[in-house]
Amino acid sequence: MAHLQPGATIGILGGGQLGRMLAMAAARLGLKTHVYAPESASPAFDVAAAHTVGAFDDADALAEFAECVDVATYEFENVPAGSVAVLAQLCPVRPGPAALEASQDRLAEKEFLAALGVETAAYLSVEDAGALIRAVGKLGRPAILKTRRLGYDGKGQIAIREGSDLAASFRSLGGAPAILESVVPFVKEISIIAARALDGGFAAYDATENVHVNHILSRSRAPAAVDSACAAAAVAATRKIADALEYVGVIGVEMFVVEEGRRKQGIVVNEIAPRVHNSGHWTLDGAVCSQFEQHIRAIAGWPLGSTKRHGAMVTMHNLLGDEVNTFAELLAEPGACVHLYGKTPARPGRKMGHVTRIFAKYED
Ligand code: AMP
């Protein structure tokens, strides 16, 4: 069925906080969710109508899951493409397999972006230590070596500096196929969170400015302090990407802002996330329709909601590891919107919750 009716069931692959917040948004719209995840203590299970504990490569369990849902989606991009292909034969999967293919492999992602004329860091494919030596010869140092697959939050990457031992660097990533990227001299990192509907309609939120600490998102604010041409170029690149993938759902595109000569800002795309994105969490309290509701609307075949921002500025802080222990103080703070994911234990760097704040004035 292309368009869901209230009471229909959305299947979500992955049971983390993104799945949890998707399930909560679906419930608000009268839709049920069935979450499929390998870990029995998945935060999304607490808020879904049904759940299945199963491995992502268990074709029988996935087929049973498909029987129970009207449409399936995923909350992270490392679901094996083969499993999504199994599902896609049994029920609509939104966004479709093209989005996964383009985002699971950093080389395929860069080639896809290059074919669209979207700027990325200079890159070269690295299959072995010899290829790394040649690639460093061409791109120079510093550079970043990233595994092609299964990297996130800075995992699976290593900086190549003056004096780095190249063979040891390659080995440290397990000898997996990789790419070498030149270091982009960015002045800011931003992301565009946008949605594409089943009928091709498109809606983007304000560009979001992001600060990473130890490669993990620490805080975001919207709108990003970038010039309007830069923000427009970022949205245009996102739309081009979503259209090329015939995308349905919310997409997050991470970008670097670079200064091109006097005052002019340009964008360089770092990564595509075919899902709701951490840097879009501010929309939960700071926009008319949150990214989670927007994703549910899009995959249900429903009209997209308004992306209008509340206030002059909205900020989002991730509560990482034991930062979550400040929850009582945050709850006591007027205007702080506290979101806790119900995860234990609070390991260092683990995303345990976040807090958003809406400001009447923009402050730099
Ligand atoms: P990634 O895992 O690709 O999202 O990278 C995580 C973070 O590492 C980014 O948000 C940047 O802060 C930094 N980074 C990754 N690639 C580059 C690059 N080519 N140039 C400069 N910084 C980068």
Side-chain angles (χ1 to χ4, degrees):
M1 198 177 14
H3 300 267
L4 265 50
Q5 295 298 312
T9 300
I10 292 178
I12 302 173
L13 292 174
Q17 64 271 12
L18 300 180
R20 178 181 171 101
M21 291 184 273
L22 283 170
M24 288 157 75
R28 213 183 89 169
L29 292 173
L31 295 161
K32 298 190 194 328
T33 47
H34 184 142
V35 176
Y36 185 108
E39 302 88 11
S40 57
S42 294
F45 288 174
D46 297 346
V47 297
H51 70 258
T52 300
V53 179
F56 286 129
D57 57 3
D58 184 339
D60 292 339
L62 282 170
E64 244 175 71
F65 167 73
E67 292 276 303
C68 307
V69 307
D70 297 292
V71 63
T73 189
Y74 38 88
E75 59 127 44
F76 80 128
E77 56 273 37
N78 290 324
V79 180
S83 304
V84 172
V86 169
L87 266 187
Q89 287 174 355
L90 303 167
C91 66
V93 178
R94 298 174 185 153
L100 274 184
E101 275 159 33
S103 59
Q104 282 184 339
D105 178 337
R106 290 188 193 271
L107 181 61
E109 186 176 45
K110 290 272 193 297
E111 286 171 348
F112 165 73
L113 292 167
L116 282 182
V118 171
E119 196 173 332
T120 66
Y123 66 94
L124 287 167
S125 174
V126 169
E127 298 295 323
D128 52 37
L132 177 59
I133 293 166
R134 291 191 295 279
V136 171
K138 286 189 183 140
L139 293 184
R141 304 182 192 219
I144 306 178
L145 183 66
K146 301 181 177 179
T147 54
R148 282 174 56 176
R149 292 182 169 272
L150 301 176
Y152 66 97
D153 286 348
K155 296 187 177 74
Q157 53 181 275
I158 183 166
I160 304 290
R161 305 193 173 88
E162 293 307 329
S164 293
D165 177 333
L166 297 185
S169 298
F170 187 73
R171 276 199 307 276
S172 75
L173 297 183
I179 62 169
L180 186 73
E181 276 183 33
S182 61
V183 170
V184 177
F186 62 82
V187 291
K188 278 178 202 292
E189 293 189 77
I190 64 166
S191 53
I192 298 294
I193 308 299
R196 189 170 178 277
L198 205 53
D199 66 2
F202 180 86
Y205 294 93
D206 290 313
T208 305
E209 189 169 329
N210 304 312
V211 176
H212 295 86
V213 176
N214 297 328
H215 295 280
I216 300 174
L217 184 67
S218 166
R219 51 190 198 276
S220 299
R221 69 166 170 180
V226 293
D227 63 44
S228 55
C230 173
V235 171
T238 303
R239 183 161 202 172
K240 209 182 215 187
I241 291 166
D243 284 343
L245 295 171
E246 296 185 30
Y247 198 89
V248 178
V250 165
I251 188 168
V253 182
E254 294 181 39
M255 308 179 192
F256 302 120
V257 177
V258 290
E259 305 252 301
E260 297 172 331
R262 282 190 78 200
R263 307 193 69 133
K264 193 174 175 310
Q265 294 178 329
I267 52 140
V268 174
V269 169
N270 178 34
E271 207 164 47
I272 302 169
R275 54 171 168 76
V276 286
H277 193 261
N278 193 171
S279 68
H281 289 3
W282 66 266
T283 64
L284 268 172
D285 308 293
V288 172
C289 174
S290 78
Q291 64 163 346
F292 300 98
E293 177 176 337
Q294 193 76 304
H295 186 72
I296 297 297
R297 284 173 176 243
I299 65 171
W302 291 359
L304 297 180
S306 166
T307 55
K308 194 172 177 324
R309 188 188 68 247
H310 298 311
M313 177 174 82
V314 186
T315 63
M316 189 282 313
H317 270 71
N318 269 339
L319 301 174
L320 300 175
D322 57 16
E323 278 182 272
V324 73
N325 297 336
T326 61
F327 76 93
E329 284 154 54
L330 292 168
L331 288 168
E333 180 189 321
C337 305
V338 182
H339 299 258
L340 303 175
Y341 308 148
K343 288 160 119 176
T344 50
R347 283 192 296 272
R350 191 173 191 206
K351 291 173 179 168
M352 304 298 292
H354 69 268
V355 54
T356 62
R357 296 179 178 88
I358 300 170
F359 295 85
K361 265 179 45 195
Y362 197 87
E363 283 164 34
D364 221 357

